[in-house]
Amino acid sequence: MVVCHKIANFAAMKILITGGSGFIGTNLTDYYVRKGWNVKNVDIKAPKQVEMTSIWTQCDITDKAALSGVVLDFEPDYIVHLAARTDLDGKSVDDYQTNTTGVENVLQVSSQLKGLKKILITSSMLVCHTGYMPKDQYDYAPTTYYGESKVITEQLTWQNKPTCDWAILRPTSMWGPWFDVPYRNFFDIVGAGRYVHIGHRSCTKTYGYIENAVYQIDSILMNPTTDLKNKVFYLGDEPPIFIEEWANEIGRAMGRTVRRVPFWMIRMAAYVGDVLKLVGVRFPMTSFRLKNMTTDNICPLQNTYAIAPEPPVDRITAVGRTVEWMKAHG
């Protein structure tokens, strides 16, 4: 059952969002600005929306002194920590200092805020590899340096438990307005008529439309999550998406018909991509990507749906809104 928060004066609330210039952060920042909250975006990059520049403070969260100055001066009631390096190109965990040192800094600085009501720390579904169902919230199985860095994100949070209420977020594959690689690429490829069904080996995955994710984040932020046995919340939509069906829906919204190509042809293209990758040439298909595209990945959403049971946007509507956004923003 959803337990509603009891804060009466929402307009007086102050929320600090690290990484507010990113994909999820842009949508979350916009949401709270529209609610009339006092919002501070702390990000090394400028906002995607120019009109949000006035609430942005440029700051690298790995610089503890700089971060401390911004956070303690603003004195937020809530913090949503989204800032992270999210690509898979790192050569070691050390390349992901934002996800390790940065998180440690956020936790240490926020501990000095006596009025902080709640903090959300964002991790990733990739603390477990594609196709792996974690046994519990402490079970990790990463296969990338990025995933390993997010395991450290979570471990640091457990080791430095905030004194206020807190929770860990694990976004699944997020899509929608203001998205970027890789899921923007999926829409672009379908729209260009270059996407094909891989034989009959399409898979089913947990994805999350961004407006629904914002609703979930807000619900988790505003409701108590004090049970230490249930501190991890995946962000995503039910039911999981059958990729072939979703590609067809996107194709129809863009006036395209998705063709089907035999699996062996895609496999050969993946081998070519593997060779090109060895010499530093990017190719749209590799064996790693092919495996990912043909492996089911269903994430446990029961904790999230217990708090946020009614996502506001259905998938067909979400596809339409995303396509319209793409038309408006090139």
Side-chain angles (χ1 to χ4, degrees):
M1 180 177 72
V2 175
V3 182
C4 296
H5 53 86
K6 298 180 180 179
I7 298 168
N9 188 3
F10 296 122
M13 291 296 102
K14 295 197 291 185
I15 184 168
L16 185 144
I17 301 172
T18 70
S21 299
F23 167 38
I24 297 176
T26 295
N27 285 275
L28 195 66
T29 297
D30 184 75
Y31 173 80
Y32 283 112
V33 167
R34 290 177 184 275
K35 283 186 70 172
W37 283 35
N38 186 353
V39 183
K40 170 70 70 176
N41 167 22
V42 177
D43 200 305
I44 198 168
K45 295 182 179 180
K48 296 178 186 294
Q49 297 171 294
V50 176
E51 60 271 27
M52 297 296 181
T53 303
S54 63
I55 62 172
W56 166 58
T57 296
Q58 186 175 37
C59 179
D60 183 343
I61 64 169
T62 63
D63 183 339
K64 185 177 178 180
L67 178 67
S68 180
V70 175
V71 174
L72 299 183
D73 179 67
F74 186 63
E75 295 186 321
D77 299 292
Y78 297 94
I79 294 176
V80 179
H81 173 57
L82 294 167
R85 176 176 173 178
T86 60
D87 64 80
L88 303 180
D89 298 330
K91 304 303 182 183
S92 73
V93 174
D94 289 339
D95 290 336
Y96 294 91
Q97 290 296 313
T98 302
N99 307 352
T100 55
T101 301
V103 171
E104 190 169 26
N105 289 344
V106 169
L107 290 166
Q108 290 179 358
V109 171
S110 64
S111 69
Q112 301 175 54
L113 295 167
K114 296 181 179 179
L116 187 64
K117 296 175 173 62
K118 190 163 187 175
I119 181 170
L120 301 182
I121 302 296
T122 304
S123 178
S124 168
M125 69 174 180
L126 290 182
V127 294
C128 296
H129 63 75
T130 299
Y132 184 88
M133 179 64 72
K135 300 177 183 66
D136 54 44
Q137 63 186 356
Y138 314 107
D139 185 21
Y140 304 116
T143 54
T144 64
Y145 291 122
Y146 166 66
E148 290 182 27
S149 75
K150 284 299 189 176
V151 170
I152 296 172
T153 290
E154 295 195 15
Q155 291 174 335
L156 285 168
T157 304
W158 284 107
Q159 293 164 10
N160 302 273
K161 297 185 189 71
T163 55
C164 63
D165 194 7
W166 60 278
I168 293 171
L169 306 177
R170 290 182 184 173
T172 59
S173 301
M174 296 285 106
W175 61 283
W178 300 107
F179 62 168
D180 206 334
V181 294
Y183 304 109
R184 168 65 190 260
N185 290 5
F186 183 63
F187 274 71
D188 286 336
I189 292 171
V190 172
R194 299 199 305 271
Y195 181 80
V196 296
H197 295 312
I198 304 172
H200 293 278
R201 301 202 184 191
S202 189
C203 58
T204 300
K205 294 181 182 289
T206 300
Y207 279 74
Y209 177 60
I210 189 59
E211 290 183 64
N212 293 339
V214 167
Y215 156 74
Q216 291 171 341
I217 293 171
D218 181 59
S219 298
I220 295 166
L221 189 68
M222 291 290 98
N223 287 280
T225 55
T226 54
D227 182 2
L228 287 177
K229 295 180 180 179
N230 292 287
K231 280 292 189 180
V232 173
F233 297 83
Y234 282 85
L235 304 180
D237 295 332
E238 289 280 17
I241 292 178
F242 181 53
I243 302 302
E244 183 172 315
E245 183 178 313
W246 189 38
N248 288 336
E249 291 167 355
I250 297 169
R252 284 192 291 271
M254 293 181 157
R256 292 284 187 176
T257 299
V258 181
R259 298 172 293 113
R260 191 180 304 279
V261 171
F263 179 78
W264 67 265
M265 292 181 63
I266 305 298
R267 167 58 72 189
M268 294 300 295
Y271 288 147
V272 171
D274 293 342
V275 173
L276 292 175
K277 184 178 180 180
L278 292 174
V279 295
V281 177
R282 288 185 177 272
F283 190 70
M285 183 59 68
T286 62
S287 293
F288 177 85
R289 187 176 183 200
L290 179 59
K291 181 179 180 181
N292 183 60
M293 293 173 67
T294 54
T295 301
D296 290 344
N297 190 52
I298 299 173
C299 299
L301 295 171
Q302 58 268 26
N303 279 1
T304 302
Y305 269 70
I307 287 179
E310 299 179 357
V313 186
D314 66 86
R315 195 171 74 218
I316 296 298
T317 301
V319 167
R321 290 182 182 179
T322 302
V323 171
E324 288 303 311
W325 176 85
M326 291 173 67
K327 290 177 181 177
H329 291 83

